[in-house]
Amino acid sequence: PAANILIADEKNFNSDKRETFLVKMATNDYDAVIITHSAFGLINVSPETYEEFVTQRIDELVEFIREKKAEEGKKAKVAQLENSIANLRDKIKAKYDESLKNKTLTFEELGVDMLFVDEAQQFKNLMFQTGMQGVAGLGNPAGSDRSLDMAIKLDRLQIRIKFVHQRHPR
């Protein structure tokens, strides 16, 4: 009952008040911050974090293509995978362009220690690698932007937790 909880609603997380809310979130010692899925998506990671994460996925795709070509030679169907790489590079550029316009605090600067997600199915469809094309029920290997955003934030959170545990072992 005495928990210090901050709640983002339509009144305090609209575009005019978002920066104030994020500063309040970062500078106070809240036990919990409750925000909607859509508001969570409006909290950006830094362009450098985004680029690092997406570049790792690009490197994995390049390696996958190299292996596929080595296995199948000229018969390898990799056009879709190469398109995925181009799309990911475009996303990196778009993230930098967006960051020039949007000067709010980033997810990394908020000091998040833990994340509980209600209705996590809204963040499904993370990108994946496959050489199969046109297979019914396989899904979209490019994934969704929402799932990519969640994956990047969870990756940052895991790195932060590992760093804290290394500095303060039990």
Side-chain angles (χ1 to χ4, degrees):
N4 188 14
I5 299 174
L6 179 64
I7 299 175
D9 58 19
E10 303 83 33
K11 291 183 281 181
N12 60 15
F13 208 82
N14 64 31
S15 59
D16 297 337
K17 297 180 182 173
R18 187 173 308 133
E19 178 66 23
T20 304
F21 182 89
L22 293 175
V23 168
K24 192 176 187 182
M25 182 178 164
T27 58
N28 290 289
D29 188 24
Y30 289 103
D31 297 315
V33 178
I34 301 172
I35 62 175
T36 63
H37 294 112
S38 58
F40 182 72
L42 294 172
I43 301 171
N44 291 319
V45 295
S46 72
E48 296 79 18
T49 295
Y50 190 87
E51 180 178 17
E52 179 185 327
F53 187 89
V54 173
T55 299
Q56 288 174 354
R57 304 293 90 66
I58 289 172
D59 292 345
E60 291 168 5
L61 276 171
V62 168
E63 180 62 22
F64 184 75
I65 289 170
R66 189 188 63 71
E67 290 172 3
K68 190 116 176 97
K69 285 181 177 178
E71 286 176 15
E72 299 179 16
K74 291 183 179 182
K75 295 179 183 179
K77 295 181 179 177
V78 294
Q80 182 180 13
L81 296 170
E82 289 169 343
N83 285 340
S84 295
I85 290 171
N87 290 339
L88 288 171
R89 287 192 174 124
D90 290 344
K91 285 182 179 185
I92 290 171
K93 183 183 178 329
K95 184 57 79 172
Y96 273 108
D97 293 345
E98 176 188 333
S99 73
L100 294 175
K101 291 184 244 172
N102 184 5
K103 296 286 187 193
T104 62
L105 289 174
T106 63
F107 180 77
E108 302 92 278
E109 295 169 321
L110 296 177
V112 174
D113 295 325
M114 189 175 294
L115 193 61
F116 293 95
V117 180
D118 188 22
E119 299 188 28
Q121 77 275 7
Q122 292 195 23
F123 299 94
K124 65 182 182 175
N125 300 328
L126 189 58
M127 69 176 85
F128 61 93
Q129 305 163 17
T130 181
M132 295 187 273
Q133 296 178 11
V135 177
L138 187 60
N140 180 5
S144 72
D145 288 341
R146 184 181 268 189
S147 66
L148 177 62
D149 180 63
M150 176 63 83
I152 293 170
K153 289 173 181 171
L154 289 175
D155 183 65
R156 286 297 111 180
L157 188 56
Q158 289 173 336
I159 289 170
R160 177 181 157 85
I161 290 169
K162 285 178 189 174
F163 177 75
V164 169
H165 285 294
Q166 288 171 352
R167 292 190 59 176
H168 305 287
R170 291 184 179 192

